[in-house]
Amino acid sequence: MTRAAWLLDDKLLPPHPVALDFDDNRLNIFQNAFPIMSEFGFTGTVFTVTDLADGQPLPRMDQFPAMRWDQLLKLQDAGWCIAPHTRTHRFLTEISLTEVRQEMDHSYQRVRQMTGEDTPYFAYPAGLWNEDLETIAKQIFRTTRHWFLAENPPVTHDTSPYRLPSINITMDMTMPAFETLMQV
Ligand SMILES: [Zn+2]
């Protein structure tokens, strides 16, 4: 199945489409979002930190329990996309370009190995990027997601697949604030 098919291959989408994606393979995605979204017929994407899915300790990421591969594969079976979000969630603007390539490529290969699906769609940790990172990302991925707040425009055919905007929904956002965001 080709993801990003509208942007890359001009496949049709229904009116008013929304892409729902979640970062960091937190267990609460599986516990909370998955059943509710299933009830309404929605699927999403999980940008996955592959060392977390492998059960490796990542001290910067242990604020929330993480999904492991068994949960991620259940999401995949339900039609969700499991996509790479680096190996260890290091901020890519703070490490060498050699390390950047390793973070990107390892997570891409590991997701493919575990899911059996090719998902070359990447999200930068904390949205941190620059053009050097983008040059490497273009050699591995077909799309990369940025992380903007409310004022970003929706995706159009003029949007670079390597600079996809998103609207960040935080867990402490109020319902009125959420409703305002949905007016974009
Ligand atoms: Zn993240």
Side-chain angles (χ1 to χ4, degrees):
M1 177 179 182
T2 304
R3 311 279 180 172
W6 174 78
L7 191 66
L8 300 176
D9 302 324
D10 208 23
K11 297 274 171 60
L12 290 178
L13 282 174
H16 309 296
V18 174
L20 300 169
D21 52 82
F22 301 84
D23 289 9
D24 305 347
N25 38 312
R26 292 179 182 171
L27 186 60
N28 60 16
I29 303 166
F30 189 79
Q31 293 169 325
N32 299 331
F34 178 42
I36 294 170
M37 287 172 60
S38 296
E39 188 183 332
F40 290 94
F42 295 155
T43 58
T45 295
V46 178
F47 287 110
T48 299
V49 179
T50 51
D51 266 11
L52 285 180
D54 282 328
Q56 299 294 324
L58 293 179
R60 285 206 313 189
M61 300 296 291
D62 65 2
Q63 187 182 3
F64 299 97
M67 277 189 284
R68 303 281 293 270
W69 291 110
D70 55 344
Q71 285 115 4
L72 290 162
L73 293 177
K74 284 179 183 157
L75 293 181
Q76 184 189 23
D77 284 345
W80 286 51
C81 178
I82 310 304
H85 187 46
T86 73
R87 177 177 188 169
T88 68
H89 209 270
R90 296 171 77 191
F91 293 160
L92 300 183
T93 49
E94 298 176 358
I95 61 179
S96 75
L97 294 181
T98 300
E99 292 171 310
V100 166
R101 185 181 298 275
Q102 289 168 349
E103 284 281 340
M104 290 181 176
D105 197 51
H106 181 281
S107 64
Y108 168 58
Q109 300 289 352
R110 185 66 177 147
V111 167
R112 188 165 66 170
Q113 179 183 35
M114 294 304 292
T115 65
E117 189 173 351
D118 188 36
T119 53
Y121 316 115
F122 182 71
Y124 294 101
L128 295 168
W129 77 286
N130 59 41
E131 294 194 355
D132 289 338
L133 304 184
E134 188 176 85
T135 298
I136 297 172
K138 284 179 173 176
Q139 296 165 11
I140 302 171
F141 304 115
R142 294 191 73 195
T143 67
T144 56
R145 196 214 64 203
H146 283 200
W147 184 18
F148 295 138
L149 297 178
E151 61 276 9
N152 62 281
V155 176
T156 73
H157 273 301
D158 295 326
T159 305
S160 165
Y162 291 98
R163 298 185 186 184
L164 293 178
S166 62
I167 300 173
N168 189 30
I169 311 296
T170 60
M171 70 174 72
D172 55 358
M173 183 173 286
T174 63
M175 201 58 178
F178 176 72
E179 288 172 355
T180 300
L181 278 179
M182 292 300 101
Q183 307 306 317
V184 173

